[in-house]
Amino acid sequence: MDGRPTLLAFSLLLSFMSESTVPLADLDWGTEWKNLPAGPVTATGGPRPNWETEAIPLLEKIREIYANPVVKAEGFSVTHLFEAAQVLAILAHNPVPEEQAEQAHVTFAMSVISLAKWRVPPYDDGNQLISEMGTVPIRVTYKDIPKSSPPRDRLLAVMRCVKSQYDEYIANPHFPHLLAAQMRTSPIRQPRSVGLANFITNVGAIENILPMKWYTDDPSSSRPVFDILSTSFGHRASLIISE
């Protein structure tokens, strides 16, 4: 599961443990499949109209970036900052020869965008446990980075480049369904697990997803049933790709 759905799973667990439970007699045998979480396409409202004219061009752009690895400040988020800083760090430790300056680039193959704001009822109440993110490629070309500017100006220039690409993805109403479309186009047939070199993600404030205090649904109770004193989470990322 994604990072945020994993936290939501703990949140649901503590909610079920602290609030009234559903009587087992009310659960009909053979209907368990109806309780499975919806996939990201359904959870974000289903396919949008005008897929062919609005989504296909963006999908083709993503395919183009993946297919050809050589050619192809305001409101910044912490993700923009981290990715921009990493681009500059990579280039600082791997100087680009002059003859490669026109083609050199840094590409993040799996930059993460949360699907949370696209979720529609009844999938918007914290019950989405399979996937709540889309992954997109973000590319910064070496020739577009100012070479003689102060470090701050170079960082801002890269952040603007990164942000503009995120903005383009987010502005497309079909974005929540692009990853699913890519999986259908190129399904995984011979999976193998490989380590991810770069995977930057920001789930936001943990307390907004997993509260520290949990109360019973009895209005007369003022003391929490559970009080989380500390939490410790670790990431272990792997990518499944086809041979």
Side-chain angles (χ1 to χ4, degrees):
M1 296 190 295
D2 302 344
R4 184 180 291 268
T6 300
L7 293 173
L8 285 173
F10 282 105
S11 177
L12 285 174
L13 174 65
L14 290 171
S15 175
F16 295 153
M17 293 170 64
S18 59
E19 300 176 1
S20 298
T21 59
V22 178
L24 294 179
D26 293 343
L27 300 178
D28 295 330
W29 178 261
T31 62
E32 295 84 357
W33 63 272
K34 294 182 179 180
N35 296 321
L36 293 175
V41 174
T42 302
T44 55
R48 312 285 200 262
N50 304 319
W51 170 271
E52 293 295 329
T53 58
E54 297 178 359
I56 294 300
L58 188 58
L59 191 59
E60 289 297 330
K61 180 178 180 179
I62 293 175
R63 290 172 181 166
E64 183 180 2
I65 292 177
Y66 283 133
N68 195 330
V70 178
V71 180
K72 296 289 175 213
E74 296 292 328
F76 296 128
S77 72
V78 68
T79 300
H80 303 149
L81 173 62
F82 286 167
E83 290 193 346
Q86 190 168 12
V87 167
L88 294 177
I90 291 172
L91 294 175
H93 287 277
N94 300 273
V96 176
E98 187 63 31
E99 64 273 15
Q100 298 180 13
E102 285 296 311
Q103 298 180 333
H105 62 86
V106 175
T107 298
F108 298 111
M110 294 183 64
S111 294
V112 176
I113 299 178
S114 172
L115 299 181
K117 73 175 185 178
W118 281 282
R119 287 169 56 183
V120 298
Y123 312 108
D124 58 348
D125 62 352
N127 61 352
Q128 183 65 18
L129 300 182
I130 293 181
S131 177
E132 199 176 63
M133 72 177 189
T135 60
V136 296
I138 298 293
R139 170 167 295 177
V140 177
T141 55
Y142 177 74
K143 64 181 180 180
D144 293 331
I145 302 175
K147 308 302 182 295
S148 58
S149 301
R152 179 181 182 277
D153 293 342
R154 299 181 74 227
L155 178 64
L156 288 174
V158 178
M159 289 174 69
R160 282 191 290 269
C161 177
V162 170
K163 181 178 183 299
S164 67
Q165 295 176 70
Y166 276 107
D167 290 346
E168 180 182 3
Y169 287 124
I170 293 173
N172 193 301
H174 303 281
F175 164 74
H177 310 149
L178 290 177
L179 185 59
Q182 292 178 72
M183 293 297 102
R184 287 195 300 269
T185 303
S186 302
I188 298 173
R189 294 184 174 87
Q190 297 178 358
R192 63 185 177 90
S193 180
V194 297
L196 286 178
N198 301 302
F199 196 87
I200 297 175
T201 182
N202 174 31
V203 298
I206 301 297
E207 306 90 282
N208 292 341
I209 310 173
L210 186 64
M212 296 295 100
K213 295 182 182 296
W214 292 84
Y215 297 87
T216 178
D217 53 359
D218 181 357
S220 65
S221 176
S222 60
R223 296 183 61 184
V225 180
F226 299 104
D227 192 348
I228 301 177
L229 302 181
S230 64
T231 58
S232 178
F233 296 97
H235 284 288
R236 182 180 180 183
S238 64
L239 172 66
I240 304 299
I241 62 175
S242 59
E243 295 286 355

